[in-house]
């Protein structure tokens, strides 16, 4: 799968994982490469939600306001795993 990347980038890539393509493949990849197993992808979303909560003002500025910030936060919620402590 490494050959799918431009030769310039290949030297910067240490590992490639083939994860289930279900719309959560980015989160699955992070979980798999963090040695949590790809099915632990909800934990990645949970950590991202906590990160947004800790640095909410900075992210609101980065994303251009509270509306986009809230949209992003809602996109990270996982059914049955949405109880996050800020």
């Amino acid at each position: 799968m490494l050959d799918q990347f431009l030769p310039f980038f290949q030297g910067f890539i240490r590992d490639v994982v083939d994860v289930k393509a279900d719309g959560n493949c980015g989160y699955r990849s992070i979980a798999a490469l963090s040695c949590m197993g790809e099915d632990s992808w909800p934990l990645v979303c949970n950590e991202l939600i906590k990160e947004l909560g800790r640095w909410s003002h900075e992210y609101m500025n980065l994303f251009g306001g509270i509306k986009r910030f809230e949209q992003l936060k809602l996109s990270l919620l996982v059914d049955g795993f949405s109880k996050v402590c800020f």
Side-chain angles (χ1 to χ4, degrees):
M1 292 186 344
L2 190 59
D3 62 345
Q4 295 178 17
F5 297 92
L6 294 172
F8 171 79
F9 293 112
Q10 291 179 10
F12 298 101
I13 299 172
R14 288 196 283 165
D15 199 1
V16 177
V17 291
D18 188 16
V19 296
K20 183 177 176 182
D22 65 352
N24 297 306
C25 54
Y27 305 119
R28 286 181 177 279
S29 297
I30 293 168
L33 291 169
S34 298
C35 299
M36 298 188 299
E38 74 174 84
D39 290 330
S40 295
W41 66 268
L43 295 174
V44 173
C45 293
N46 189 43
E47 289 302 314
L48 290 170
I49 291 170
K50 287 192 230 177
E51 170 73 9
L52 288 173
R54 280 198 269 321
W55 302 98
S56 58
H57 295 292
E58 288 81 355
Y59 282 113
M60 283 181 213
N61 288 333
L62 180 67
F63 298 129
I66 193 166
K67 184 177 178 183
R68 180 65 185 127
F69 173 80
E70 290 297 330
Q71 289 173 333
L72 180 62
K73 201 162 71 170
L74 284 174
S75 75
L76 293 169
L77 293 177
V78 179
D79 290 339
F81 198 81
S82 309
K83 297 177 179 144
V84 177
C85 300
F86 288 104

